[in-house]
Amino acid sequence: MSGIVVLILRIFLAAALYAFLGWALYTLWRDLRIHSLVLASQKAPTITLTRIGMDEFEPASYQKSELFIGRDATAAVPVMDETVSARHARLAYRHNQWWVEDLKSTNGTFLNEEPVLTMTVLVSGDEIRVGQTVMRVDIAPKD
């Protein structure tokens, strides 16, 4: 008789443990989903790139959270310069800041005439040089 009671208790405890684990995983999943929706709703502030020394180009403003600079036809910021790689650099909005990253380009990316070796924070007034093209960065204040 006591063997049956112990078996029933073991089954009950195993079921309680699995119910608790299921509840904990559901709670974590729900919280992650809510946080991802909040982060996805945050829009990147407008970033404006003005090419310096080239009168024929107007300043271009972007509101995407990720921009690629290069000769590739799909690049958000196309640069027709033979010294620029197809996917030369990336501008990304993360952690409430704009960042610039060199994408292993042949001739490198420079921020204020310093080589970009790791992801680096951008501020208004910075100058990015890819190949022979120099662009001034202006970041709009966040709404």
Side-chain angles (χ1 to χ4, degrees), residues 49-70:
L49 301 175
T50 307
R51 296 181 193 203
I52 298 174
M54 299 182 139
D55 296 332
E56 68 248 27
F57 289 103
E58 293 290 320
S61 297
Y62 304 94
Q63 289 187 318
K64 295 179 181 180
S65 61
E66 186 172 72
L67 304 169
F68 288 97
I69 301 173

Side-chain angles (χ1 to χ4, degrees), residues 89-136:
R90 175 175 45 193
L91 304 179
Y93 185 73
R94 294 194 179 110
H95 308 294
N96 294 323
Q97 293 180 320
W98 277 100
W99 299 75
V100 61
E101 175 185 19
D102 182 59
L103 298 176
K104 308 286 187 233
S105 61
T106 304
N107 295 320
T109 302
F110 295 84
L111 178 63
N112 300 324
E113 295 305 319
E114 294 291 327
V116 175
L117 303 175
T118 62
M119 287 187 73
T120 308
V121 175
L122 289 172
V123 295
S124 286
D126 280 346
E127 291 182 358
I128 299 172
R129 180 167 58 89
V130 292
Q132 297 174 358
T133 304
V134 179
M135 294 174 270
R136 188 181 72 242

